[in-house]
Amino acid sequence: MNDALPRSLLEATSRATHEGALCARDQVREAIERLQASAHLRACTELLADEALDRATEIDARRRRGGGLGRLAGVPFAVKANIATRQGHTDCASRLLRGYASPFDASAVERLLAEDAVLVAKTNCDEFGMGSSTERSSWGPTLHPEDPARVPGGSSGGSAVAVSSRGGALPLALGSDTGGSLRQPASFCGAVGVKATYGRVSRWGLVAFASSMDQVGPLCTRVRDAAQTLEIIAGPDGRDARCLPSAPGSFLAACERGASGLRVGIVRELLDSEEIAPPARQLVGEAALALEGADAQVDVVDVPAVLDAIAIYALVANAEASSNLARFDGVRFGRRSASTDTIEELFERTRAEGFGQEVKRRILLGTLALSAERRDEWFSAARRARARLTAALDRALSDHDLLLTPTTPGEPFKAGERLESPLQMYRSDLCTLPASLGGHPALSIPGPRTSPRALPLGVQLVARRGDEETLFAAACALEDEGFRP
Amino acid sequence: MTRSSLTPHELARLARLARIGLDQDELLTFSRDVSEILAHAEAMTTRAPAAPSSAPRTDGTEGSTCREDSVHAWRGRVLDETARLSKGHVVVARVL
């Protein structure tokens, strides 16, 4: 990251629009041109240039008339393909939903538009958010912005590439996180990714994958931008029954609190595990030093239950997915297989033709976990293990304000390397899954490069449920201490 | 054969339940993949404490209990009903 960049790109962009120093239309046009120039990366499934320019023109006209402007006036942003927007299509990067246009905006999108942000693109992802590399998209894989032979992470890989630290086209993109889909690609692309407390952001308009973990969240270049975005999109929403009823605090104000006096625990099992590569381990050490430099106290904490996270997730998330994706049957949404004789045949063929391999595999695993013969053996056991893991995280956070871990076990892996082994792919979410299963807020912040040719890598901070303020206080302190790409 | 093994025959039955048509190659690949994931999960299930035979609700509703198996039975009935009615497209669309 260029040190000359402002601490908040959103604030700088919005202020320029408010003051008339730059018109929204120019800023939006430039963002679209940057996206077009990087089209080979396949970060976007769709550019919404005409609608975006019209919207920016309207914002400029309102400013000239002296009308009020929102906090994100003129800020161009993109939205993952599994989050509903009235503009463009919400196809979840699936053949099954190709061409599907949502009649409404997701709650998070509504709130950004209400602040005069401008939607410029829909972004690529693993089909229905199921994957960790953005290779499982019906639009084709998204490429890593710095090394096209590697993956950008996933499933929100398109959004992460759009805001990546080197060559990113936008200051803000929305993604979703079920097992790490905001944080893992953020780490791989040098971006900041935040998954808030479960229920902090309304899931209204997010196409359901695993409802007990799904969360919408921001991907940004800087921590303060993520804080401001989350502050806007968070909050009660009667259209999501699991949305927290309490109003969130001021995340942007928390950014100025500093890390002094915070107790930070490095999770031993996510540092000592043989799956953690040396660069990831080294970066955690650097983050610990930077936090100590900001007067935080850092020690090591044992949470052995985190090592069960992959197995728990594989059973719980896929069981929920098998239920949630039952709605895609060719009757109500998306494509319908032609020339079938019976309704059963219609269901089977539509789903066989529409779903990709990974989605089918997950539905089958989930169906097995929920089947009458196997339910107690697998699904119920996984639920009990999930409760035990959540309690273990809560215990660790009872005498620590934050937990510190690598975000990913290592640097971005090579494209195609893990496609043949689903378990290997799940392993890339080893560090992000615990907070997803526990519902804790977690943030990935990119660290300094170990060499000029090194690829981006991030560390993860996890806080108590409902305490995003501490997360942002520590992350901003890290960024201000020079912990940035 | 361990409890994490899954044969193509069993997978074909699951595919019918999940309403996904699979070809022979997919059956073989998916049975291998699912077995691999279940084998990884076996250690976790042995560490998970046994569930009480009748788990009470934890939502504070005094006196009421909601056994997991009764929820499961209810879900089974809904699925059975769905299958029984599946000859009528409109009915199925509504029930699903």
Side-chain angles (χ1 to χ4, degrees), chain A residues 94-130:
Chain A
S94 175
R95 277 194 308 272
L96 200 139
L97 286 178
R98 186 64 60 88
Y100 172 72
S102 167
F104 65 95
D105 285 321
S107 178
V109 174
E110 237 176 40
R111 292 177 188 199
L112 292 180
L113 294 175
E115 295 292 345
D116 290 325
V118 180
L119 176 62
V120 296
K122 297 298 289 270
T123 55
N124 204 2
C125 60
D126 288 296
E127 185 179 3
F128 287 103
M130 297 181 185

PDB file of all heavy atoms in Angstrom, chain A residues 94-130:
ATOM      1  N   SER A  94     -23.927 -19.215 -10.664  1.00  0.00           N
ATOM      2  CA  SER A  94     -24.420 -20.560 -10.957  1.00  0.00           C
ATOM      3  C   SER A  94     -25.147 -20.582 -12.303  1.00  0.00           C
ATOM      4  O   SER A  94     -25.868 -19.626 -12.633  1.00  0.00           O
ATOM      5  CB  SER A  94     -25.394 -20.999  -9.858  1.00  0.00           C
ATOM      6  OG  SER A  94     -25.965 -22.246 -10.173  1.00  0.00           O
ATOM      7  N   ARG A  95     -24.963 -21.682 -13.027  1.00  0.00           N
ATOM      8  CA  ARG A  95     -25.741 -21.857 -14.271  1.00  0.00           C
ATOM      9  C   ARG A  95     -27.227 -21.890 -13.960  1.00  0.00           C
ATOM     10  O   ARG A  95     -28.058 -21.460 -14.739  1.00  0.00           O
ATOM     11  CB  ARG A  95     -25.350 -23.171 -14.952  1.00  0.00           C
ATOM     12  CG  ARG A  95     -24.122 -23.087 -15.808  1.00  0.00           C
ATOM     13  CD  ARG A  95     -24.006 -24.318 -16.703  1.00  0.00           C
ATOM     14  NE  ARG A  95     -24.097 -25.561 -15.954  1.00  0.00           N
ATOM     15  CZ  ARG A  95     -23.059 -26.175 -15.390  1.00  0.00           C
ATOM     16  NH1 ARG A  95     -21.868 -25.652 -15.492  1.00  0.00           N
ATOM     17  NH2 ARG A  95     -23.212 -27.301 -14.732  1.00  0.00           N
ATOM     18  N   LEU A  96     -27.547 -22.411 -12.773  1.00  0.00           N
ATOM     19  CA  LEU A  96     -28.954 -22.591 -12.434  1.00  0.00           C
ATOM     20  C   LEU A  96     -29.694 -21.256 -12.338  1.00  0.00           C
ATOM     21  O   LEU A  96     -30.888 -21.174 -12.601  1.00  0.00           O
ATOM     22  CB  LEU A  96     -29.075 -23.358 -11.110  1.00  0.00           C
ATOM     23  CG  LEU A  96     -30.424 -24.016 -10.890  1.00  0.00           C
ATOM     24  CD1 LEU A  96     -30.263 -25.394 -10.286  1.00  0.00           C
ATOM     25  CD2 LEU A  96     -31.322 -23.180 -10.022  1.00  0.00           C
ATOM     26  N   LEU A  97     -28.992 -20.202 -11.942  1.00  0.00           N
ATOM     27  CA  LEU A  97     -29.645 -18.904 -11.777  1.00  0.00           C
ATOM     28  C   LEU A  97     -29.222 -17.887 -12.837  1.00  0.00           C
ATOM     29  O   LEU A  97     -29.489 -16.697 -12.677  1.00  0.00           O
ATOM     30  CB  LEU A  97     -29.357 -18.336 -10.380  1.00  0.00           C
ATOM     31  CG  LEU A  97     -30.101 -18.994  -9.224  1.00  0.00           C
ATOM     32  CD1 LEU A  97     -29.694 -18.383  -7.896  1.00  0.00           C
ATOM     33  CD2 LEU A  97     -31.608 -18.881  -9.403  1.00  0.00           C
ATOM     34  N   ARG A  98     -28.569 -18.350 -13.893  1.00  0.00           N
ATOM     35  CA  ARG A  98     -28.098 -17.433 -14.935  1.00  0.00           C
ATOM     36  C   ARG A  98     -29.274 -16.591 -15.456  1.00  0.00           C
ATOM     37  O   ARG A  98     -30.316 -17.112 -15.830  1.00  0.00           O
ATOM     38  CB  ARG A  98     -27.458 -18.226 -16.069  1.00  0.00           C
ATOM     39  CG  ARG A  98     -26.806 -17.413 -17.160  1.00  0.00           C
ATOM     40  CD  ARG A  98     -25.617 -16.591 -16.706  1.00  0.00           C
ATOM     41  NE  ARG A  98     -24.515 -17.353 -16.141  1.00  0.00           N
ATOM     42  CZ  ARG A  98     -23.510 -17.890 -16.842  1.00  0.00           C
ATOM     43  NH1 ARG A  98     -23.497 -17.799 -18.145  1.00  0.00           N
ATOM     44  NH2 ARG A  98     -22.539 -18.518 -16.225  1.00  0.00           N
ATOM     45  N   GLY A  99     -29.098 -15.284 -15.399  1.00  0.00           N
ATOM     46  CA  GLY A  99     -30.128 -14.380 -15.907  1.00  0.00           C
ATOM     47  C   GLY A  99     -31.163 -13.985 -14.869  1.00  0.00           C
ATOM     48  O   GLY A  99     -32.068 -13.192 -15.162  1.00  0.00           O
ATOM     49  N   TYR A 100     -31.031 -14.489 -13.648  1.00  0.00           N
ATOM     50  CA  TYR A 100     -32.040 -14.169 -12.629  1.00  0.00           C
ATOM     51  C   TYR A 100     -31.881 -12.718 -12.161  1.00  0.00           C
ATOM     52  O   TYR A 100     -30.797 -12.297 -11.759  1.00  0.00           O
ATOM     53  CB  TYR A 100     -31.926 -15.113 -11.420  1.00  0.00           C
ATOM     54  CG  TYR A 100     -32.821 -14.705 -10.277  1.00  0.00           C
ATOM     55  CD1 TYR A 100     -34.207 -14.860 -10.354  1.00  0.00           C
ATOM     56  CD2 TYR A 100     -32.293 -14.124  -9.132  1.00  0.00           C
ATOM     57  CE1 TYR A 100     -35.022 -14.460  -9.323  1.00  0.00           C
ATOM     58  CE2 TYR A 100     -33.104 -13.725  -8.087  1.00  0.00           C
ATOM     59  CZ  TYR A 100     -34.471 -13.900  -8.192  1.00  0.00           C
ATOM     60  OH  TYR A 100     -35.293 -13.491  -7.161  1.00  0.00           O
ATOM     61  N   ALA A 101     -32.949 -11.961 -12.221  1.00  0.00           N
ATOM     62  CA  ALA A 101     -32.917 -10.560 -11.776  1.00  0.00           C
ATOM     63  C   ALA A 101     -33.755 -10.443 -10.514  1.00  0.00           C
ATOM     64  O   ALA A 101     -34.942 -10.808 -10.512  1.00  0.00           O
ATOM     65  CB  ALA A 101     -33.454  -9.653 -12.873  1.00  0.00           C
ATOM     66  N   SER A 102     -33.159  -9.951  -9.471  1.00  0.00           N
ATOM     67  CA  SER A 102     -33.878  -9.813  -8.202  1.00  0.00           C
ATOM     68  C   SER A 102     -34.841  -8.623  -8.275  1.00  0.00           C
ATOM     69  O   SER A 102     -34.486  -7.575  -8.803  1.00  0.00           O
ATOM     70  CB  SER A 102     -32.882  -9.585  -7.061  1.00  0.00           C
ATOM     71  OG  SER A 102     -33.546  -9.166  -5.902  1.00  0.00           O
ATOM     72  N   PRO A 103     -36.027  -8.769  -7.702  1.00  0.00           N
ATOM     73  CA  PRO A 103     -36.961  -7.629  -7.693  1.00  0.00           C
ATOM     74  C   PRO A 103     -36.684  -6.656  -6.549  1.00  0.00           C
ATOM     75  O   PRO A 103     -37.387  -5.676  -6.391  1.00  0.00           O
ATOM     76  CB  PRO A 103     -38.324  -8.303  -7.527  1.00  0.00           C
ATOM     77  CG  PRO A 103     -38.037  -9.573  -6.796  1.00  0.00           C
ATOM     78  CD  PRO A 103     -36.651 -10.002  -7.207  1.00  0.00           C
ATOM     79  N   PHE A 104     -35.687  -6.926  -5.735  1.00  0.00           N
ATOM     80  CA  PHE A 104     -35.422  -6.043  -4.590  1.00  0.00           C
ATOM     81  C   PHE A 104     -33.922  -5.985  -4.311  1.00  0.00           C
ATOM     82  O   PHE A 104     -33.158  -6.827  -4.782  1.00  0.00           O
ATOM     83  CB  PHE A 104     -36.166  -6.535  -3.339  1.00  0.00           C
ATOM     84  CG  PHE A 104     -35.697  -7.878  -2.849  1.00  0.00           C
ATOM     85  CD1 PHE A 104     -34.737  -7.960  -1.850  1.00  0.00           C
ATOM     86  CD2 PHE A 104     -36.191  -9.062  -3.392  1.00  0.00           C
ATOM     87  CE1 PHE A 104     -34.288  -9.195  -1.395  1.00  0.00           C
ATOM     88  CE2 PHE A 104     -35.747 -10.295  -2.944  1.00  0.00           C
ATOM     89  CZ  PHE A 104     -34.792 -10.356  -1.948  1.00  0.00           C
ATOM     90  N   ASP A 105     -33.527  -4.977  -3.525  1.00  0.00           N
ATOM     91  CA  ASP A 105     -32.138  -4.857  -3.078  1.00  0.00           C
ATOM     92  C   ASP A 105     -31.984  -5.509  -1.709  1.00  0.00           C
ATOM     93  O   ASP A 105     -32.876  -5.393  -0.851  1.00  0.00           O
ATOM     94  CB  ASP A 105     -31.744  -3.374  -2.937  1.00  0.00           C
ATOM     95  CG  ASP A 105     -31.516  -2.707  -4.286  1.00  0.00           C
ATOM     96  OD1 ASP A 105     -30.946  -3.364  -5.176  1.00  0.00           O
ATOM     97  OD2 ASP A 105     -31.908  -1.533  -4.438  1.00  0.00           O
ATOM     98  N   ALA A 106     -30.848  -6.148  -1.492  1.00  0.00           N
ATOM     99  CA  ALA A 106     -30.536  -6.666  -0.160  1.00  0.00           C
ATOM    100  C   ALA A 106     -30.480  -5.495   0.822  1.00  0.00           C
ATOM    101  O   ALA A 106     -30.209  -4.354   0.434  1.00  0.00           O
ATOM    102  CB  ALA A 106     -29.188  -7.379  -0.190  1.00  0.00           C
ATOM    103  N   SER A 107     -30.731  -5.811   2.082  1.00  0.00           N
ATOM    104  CA  SER A 107     -30.735  -4.763   3.103  1.00  0.00           C
ATOM    105  C   SER A 107     -29.419  -3.980   3.115  1.00  0.00           C
ATOM    106  O   SER A 107     -29.412  -2.749   3.167  1.00  0.00           O
ATOM    107  CB  SER A 107     -30.982  -5.417   4.469  1.00  0.00           C
ATOM    108  OG  SER A 107     -30.961  -4.464   5.475  1.00  0.00           O
ATOM    109  N   ALA A 108     -28.289  -4.689   3.059  1.00  0.00           N
ATOM    110  CA  ALA A 108     -26.983  -4.016   3.111  1.00  0.00           C
ATOM    111  C   ALA A 108     -26.803  -3.095   1.900  1.00  0.00           C
ATOM    112  O   ALA A 108     -26.260  -1.986   2.019  1.00  0.00           O
ATOM    113  CB  ALA A 108     -25.860  -5.052   3.161  1.00  0.00           C
ATOM    114  N   VAL A 109     -27.267  -3.543   0.739  1.00  0.00           N
ATOM    115  CA  VAL A 109     -27.150  -2.732  -0.481  1.00  0.00           C
ATOM    116  C   VAL A 109     -28.034  -1.490  -0.360  1.00  0.00           C
ATOM    117  O   VAL A 109     -27.606  -0.366  -0.669  1.00  0.00           O
ATOM    118  CB  VAL A 109     -27.556  -3.567  -1.722  1.00  0.00           C
ATOM    119  CG1 VAL A 109     -27.596  -2.707  -2.974  1.00  0.00           C
ATOM    120  CG2 VAL A 109     -26.590  -4.730  -1.901  1.00  0.00           C
ATOM    121  N   GLU A 110     -29.249  -1.703   0.126  1.00  0.00           N
ATOM    122  CA  GLU A 110     -30.201  -0.594   0.335  1.00  0.00           C
ATOM    123  C   GLU A 110     -29.556   0.502   1.171  1.00  0.00           C
ATOM    124  O   GLU A 110     -29.677   1.692   0.858  1.00  0.00           O
ATOM    125  CB  GLU A 110     -31.371  -1.156   1.138  1.00  0.00           C
ATOM    126  CG  GLU A 110     -32.737  -1.018   0.537  1.00  0.00           C
ATOM    127  CD  GLU A 110     -33.748  -1.738   1.443  1.00  0.00           C
ATOM    128  OE1 GLU A 110     -33.674  -1.686   2.689  1.00  0.00           O
ATOM    129  OE2 GLU A 110     -34.624  -2.353   0.857  1.00  0.00           O
ATOM    130  N   ARG A 111     -28.859   0.077   2.238  1.00  0.00           N
ATOM    131  CA  ARG A 111     -28.285   1.056   3.169  1.00  0.00           C
ATOM    132  C   ARG A 111     -27.111   1.809   2.550  1.00  0.00           C
ATOM    133  O   ARG A 111     -26.898   2.989   2.835  1.00  0.00           O
ATOM    134  CB  ARG A 111     -27.882   0.365   4.470  1.00  0.00           C
ATOM    135  CG  ARG A 111     -29.101  -0.111   5.242  1.00  0.00           C
ATOM    136  CD  ARG A 111     -28.774  -0.877   6.508  1.00  0.00           C
ATOM    137  NE  ARG A 111     -30.010  -1.445   7.063  1.00  0.00           N
ATOM    138  CZ  ARG A 111     -30.142  -1.854   8.322  1.00  0.00           C
ATOM    139  NH1 ARG A 111     -29.138  -1.777   9.149  1.00  0.00           N
ATOM    140  NH2 ARG A 111     -31.295  -2.357   8.737  1.00  0.00           N
ATOM    141  N   LEU A 112     -26.345   1.141   1.708  1.00  0.00           N
ATOM    142  CA  LEU A 112     -25.246   1.835   1.028  1.00  0.00           C
ATOM    143  C   LEU A 112     -25.794   2.816  -0.015  1.00  0.00           C
ATOM    144  O   LEU A 112     -25.311   3.948  -0.134  1.00  0.00           O
ATOM    145  CB  LEU A 112     -24.309   0.829   0.347  1.00  0.00           C
ATOM    146  CG  LEU A 112     -23.481  -0.071   1.267  1.00  0.00           C
ATOM    147  CD1 LEU A 112     -22.605  -1.020   0.446  1.00  0.00           C
ATOM    148  CD2 LEU A 112     -22.600   0.768   2.197  1.00  0.00           C
ATOM    149  N   LEU A 113     -26.817   2.384  -0.747  1.00  0.00           N
ATOM    150  CA  LEU A 113     -27.404   3.274  -1.754  1.00  0.00           C
ATOM    151  C   LEU A 113     -28.048   4.491  -1.087  1.00  0.00           C
ATOM    152  O   LEU A 113     -28.008   5.605  -1.627  1.00  0.00           O
ATOM    153  CB  LEU A 113     -28.454   2.514  -2.588  1.00  0.00           C
ATOM    154  CG  LEU A 113     -27.916   1.386  -3.484  1.00  0.00           C
ATOM    155  CD1 LEU A 113     -29.063   0.640  -4.166  1.00  0.00           C
ATOM    156  CD2 LEU A 113     -26.953   1.937  -4.538  1.00  0.00           C
ATOM    157  N   ALA A 114     -28.621   4.281   0.102  1.00  0.00           N
ATOM    158  CA  ALA A 114     -29.237   5.396   0.817  1.00  0.00           C
ATOM    159  C   ALA A 114     -28.210   6.441   1.229  1.00  0.00           C
ATOM    160  O   ALA A 114     -28.551   7.596   1.479  1.00  0.00           O
ATOM    161  CB  ALA A 114     -29.972   4.878   2.049  1.00  0.00           C
ATOM    162  N   GLU A 115     -26.934   6.029   1.300  1.00  0.00           N
ATOM    163  CA  GLU A 115     -25.853   6.980   1.617  1.00  0.00           C
ATOM    164  C   GLU A 115     -25.190   7.501   0.350  1.00  0.00           C
ATOM    165  O   GLU A 115     -24.091   8.048   0.386  1.00  0.00           O
ATOM    166  CB  GLU A 115     -24.803   6.311   2.518  1.00  0.00           C
ATOM    167  CG  GLU A 115     -25.326   5.928   3.887  1.00  0.00           C
ATOM    168  CD  GLU A 115     -25.662   7.135   4.769  1.00  0.00           C
ATOM    169  OE1 GLU A 115     -25.230   8.249   4.442  1.00  0.00           O
ATOM    170  OE2 GLU A 115     -26.355   6.937   5.786  1.00  0.00           O
ATOM    171  N   ASP A 116     -25.853   7.269  -0.801  1.00  0.00           N
ATOM    172  CA  ASP A 116     -25.394   7.779  -2.093  1.00  0.00           C
ATOM    173  C   ASP A 116     -24.128   7.123  -2.640  1.00  0.00           C
ATOM    174  O   ASP A 116     -23.417   7.716  -3.460  1.00  0.00           O
ATOM    175  CB  ASP A 116     -25.212   9.311  -2.060  1.00  0.00           C
ATOM    176  CG  ASP A 116     -26.550  10.026  -1.977  1.00  0.00           C
ATOM    177  OD1 ASP A 116     -27.518   9.520  -2.584  1.00  0.00           O
ATOM    178  OD2 ASP A 116     -26.637  11.059  -1.298  1.00  0.00           O
ATOM    179  N   ALA A 117     -23.830   5.897  -2.164  1.00  0.00           N
ATOM    180  CA  ALA A 117     -22.801   5.115  -2.849  1.00  0.00           C
ATOM    181  C   ALA A 117     -23.371   4.674  -4.198  1.00  0.00           C
ATOM    182  O   ALA A 117     -24.594   4.625  -4.375  1.00  0.00           O
ATOM    183  CB  ALA A 117     -22.411   3.908  -2.010  1.00  0.00           C
ATOM    184  N   VAL A 118     -22.487   4.358  -5.132  1.00  0.00           N
ATOM    185  CA  VAL A 118     -22.929   4.048  -6.499  1.00  0.00           C
ATOM    186  C   VAL A 118     -22.505   2.622  -6.874  1.00  0.00           C
ATOM    187  O   VAL A 118     -21.312   2.305  -6.906  1.00  0.00           O
ATOM    188  CB  VAL A 118     -22.321   5.054  -7.509  1.00  0.00           C
ATOM    189  CG1 VAL A 118     -22.785   4.731  -8.921  1.00  0.00           C
ATOM    190  CG2 VAL A 118     -22.704   6.483  -7.136  1.00  0.00           C
ATOM    191  N   LEU A 119     -23.510   1.790  -7.149  1.00  0.00           N
ATOM    192  CA  LEU A 119     -23.237   0.395  -7.513  1.00  0.00           C
ATOM    193  C   LEU A 119     -22.715   0.333  -8.953  1.00  0.00           C
ATOM    194  O   LEU A 119     -23.400   0.768  -9.881  1.00  0.00           O
ATOM    195  CB  LEU A 119     -24.524  -0.435  -7.382  1.00  0.00           C
ATOM    196  CG  LEU A 119     -24.450  -1.892  -7.822  1.00  0.00           C
ATOM    197  CD1 LEU A 119     -23.449  -2.671  -6.969  1.00  0.00           C
ATOM    198  CD2 LEU A 119     -25.819  -2.554  -7.747  1.00  0.00           C
ATOM    199  N   VAL A 120     -21.497  -0.198  -9.127  1.00  0.00           N
ATOM    200  CA  VAL A 120     -20.914  -0.221 -10.476  1.00  0.00           C
ATOM    201  C   VAL A 120     -20.756  -1.627 -11.051  1.00  0.00           C
ATOM    202  O   VAL A 120     -20.573  -1.782 -12.262  1.00  0.00           O
ATOM    203  CB  VAL A 120     -19.528   0.476 -10.521  1.00  0.00           C
ATOM    204  CG1 VAL A 120     -19.651   1.952 -10.193  1.00  0.00           C
ATOM    205  CG2 VAL A 120     -18.539  -0.201  -9.587  1.00  0.00           C
ATOM    206  N   ALA A 121     -20.819  -2.673 -10.194  1.00  0.00           N
ATOM    207  CA  ALA A 121     -20.578  -4.018 -10.744  1.00  0.00           C
ATOM    208  C   ALA A 121     -21.067  -5.096  -9.791  1.00  0.00           C
ATOM    209  O   ALA A 121     -21.222  -4.864  -8.591  1.00  0.00           O
ATOM    210  CB  ALA A 121     -19.083  -4.217 -11.004  1.00  0.00           C
ATOM    211  N   LYS A 122     -21.338  -6.274 -10.356  1.00  0.00           N
ATOM    212  CA  LYS A 122     -21.539  -7.487  -9.557  1.00  0.00           C
ATOM    213  C   LYS A 122     -20.243  -8.305  -9.677  1.00  0.00           C
ATOM    214  O   LYS A 122     -19.624  -8.326 -10.752  1.00  0.00           O
ATOM    215  CB  LYS A 122     -22.735  -8.310 -10.081  1.00  0.00           C
ATOM    216  CG  LYS A 122     -24.070  -7.616  -9.997  1.00  0.00           C
ATOM    217  CD  LYS A 122     -24.498  -7.273  -8.568  1.00  0.00           C
ATOM    218  CE  LYS A 122     -24.891  -8.435  -7.706  1.00  0.00           C
ATOM    219  NZ  LYS A 122     -26.272  -8.842  -7.707  1.00  0.00           N
ATOM    220  N   THR A 123     -19.876  -8.955  -8.599  1.00  0.00           N
ATOM    221  CA  THR A 123     -18.568  -9.627  -8.603  1.00  0.00           C
ATOM    222  C   THR A 123     -18.678 -11.146  -8.581  1.00  0.00           C
ATOM    223  O   THR A 123     -19.636 -11.720  -8.065  1.00  0.00           O
ATOM    224  CB  THR A 123     -17.713  -9.158  -7.415  1.00  0.00           C
ATOM    225  OG1 THR A 123     -18.441  -9.371  -6.207  1.00  0.00           O
ATOM    226  CG2 THR A 123     -17.325  -7.708  -7.552  1.00  0.00           C
ATOM    227  N   ASN A 124     -17.646 -11.748  -9.112  1.00  0.00           N
ATOM    228  CA  ASN A 124     -17.577 -13.193  -9.263  1.00  0.00           C
ATOM    229  C   ASN A 124     -17.345 -13.875  -7.913  1.00  0.00           C
ATOM    230  O   ASN A 124     -16.809 -13.270  -6.971  1.00  0.00           O
ATOM    231  CB  ASN A 124     -16.417 -13.541 -10.210  1.00  0.00           C
ATOM    232  CG  ASN A 124     -16.591 -14.878 -10.889  1.00  0.00           C
ATOM    233  OD1 ASN A 124     -17.598 -15.564 -10.699  1.00  0.00           O
ATOM    234  ND2 ASN A 124     -15.616 -15.269 -11.698  1.00  0.00           N
ATOM    235  N   CYS A 125     -17.755 -15.121  -7.821  1.00  0.00           N
ATOM    236  CA  CYS A 125     -17.587 -15.867  -6.565  1.00  0.00           C
ATOM    237  C   CYS A 125     -17.696 -17.359  -6.872  1.00  0.00           C
ATOM    238  O   CYS A 125     -18.062 -17.758  -7.976  1.00  0.00           O
ATOM    239  CB  CYS A 125     -18.663 -15.469  -5.556  1.00  0.00           C
ATOM    240  SG  CYS A 125     -20.363 -15.774  -6.077  1.00  0.00           S
ATOM    241  N   ASP A 126     -17.343 -18.174  -5.883  1.00  0.00           N
ATOM    242  CA  ASP A 126     -17.636 -19.597  -6.018  1.00  0.00           C
ATOM    243  C   ASP A 126     -19.160 -19.761  -6.013  1.00  0.00           C
ATOM    244  O   ASP A 126     -19.875 -19.032  -5.302  1.00  0.00           O
ATOM    245  CB  ASP A 126     -17.032 -20.367  -4.848  1.00  0.00           C
ATOM    246  CG  ASP A 126     -15.515 -20.453  -4.949  1.00  0.00           C
ATOM    247  OD1 ASP A 126     -15.028 -21.068  -5.899  1.00  0.00           O
ATOM    248  OD2 ASP A 126     -14.829 -19.884  -4.086  1.00  0.00           O
ATOM    249  N   GLU A 127     -19.643 -20.712  -6.771  1.00  0.00           N
ATOM    250  CA  GLU A 127     -21.084 -20.906  -6.937  1.00  0.00           C
ATOM    251  C   GLU A 127     -21.789 -20.996  -5.574  1.00  0.00           C
ATOM    252  O   GLU A 127     -21.409 -21.803  -4.724  1.00  0.00           O
ATOM    253  CB  GLU A 127     -21.315 -22.196  -7.737  1.00  0.00           C
ATOM    254  CG  GLU A 127     -22.770 -22.427  -8.076  1.00  0.00           C
ATOM    255  CD  GLU A 127     -22.957 -23.699  -8.903  1.00  0.00           C
ATOM    256  OE1 GLU A 127     -21.974 -24.418  -9.168  1.00  0.00           O
ATOM    257  OE2 GLU A 127     -24.117 -23.977  -9.265  1.00  0.00           O
ATOM    258  N   PHE A 128     -22.761 -20.145  -5.372  1.00  0.00           N
ATOM    259  CA  PHE A 128     -23.517 -20.055  -4.116  1.00  0.00           C
ATOM    260  C   PHE A 128     -22.621 -19.831  -2.896  1.00  0.00           C
ATOM    261  O   PHE A 128     -23.000 -20.134  -1.774  1.00  0.00           O
ATOM    262  CB  PHE A 128     -24.379 -21.311  -3.894  1.00  0.00           C
ATOM    263  CG  PHE A 128     -25.569 -21.369  -4.807  1.00  0.00           C
ATOM    264  CD1 PHE A 128     -25.559 -22.198  -5.917  1.00  0.00           C
ATOM    265  CD2 PHE A 128     -26.691 -20.589  -4.575  1.00  0.00           C
ATOM    266  CE1 PHE A 128     -26.648 -22.243  -6.790  1.00  0.00           C
ATOM    267  CE2 PHE A 128     -27.786 -20.621  -5.436  1.00  0.00           C
ATOM    268  CZ  PHE A 128     -27.765 -21.457  -6.537  1.00  0.00           C
ATOM    269  N   GLY A 129     -21.428 -19.327  -3.125  1.00  0.00           N
ATOM    270  CA  GLY A 129     -20.504 -19.059  -2.008  1.00  0.00           C
ATOM    271  C   GLY A 129     -19.813 -20.303  -1.493  1.00  0.00           C
ATOM    272  O   GLY A 129     -19.234 -20.284  -0.408  1.00  0.00           O
ATOM    273  N   MET A 130     -19.859 -21.388  -2.271  1.00  0.00           N
ATOM    274  CA  MET A 130     -19.293 -22.653  -1.794  1.00  0.00           C
ATOM    275  C   MET A 130     -17.924 -22.891  -2.412  1.00  0.00           C
ATOM    276  O   MET A 130     -17.802 -23.486  -3.489  1.00  0.00           O
ATOM    277  CB  MET A 130     -20.231 -23.804  -2.166  1.00  0.00           C
ATOM    278  CG  MET A 130     -21.575 -23.679  -1.496  1.00  0.00           C
ATOM    279  SD  MET A 130     -22.612 -25.060  -1.938  1.00  0.00           S
ATOM    280  CE  MET A 130     -24.149 -24.577  -1.165  1.00  0.00           C
TER     281      MET A 130
END
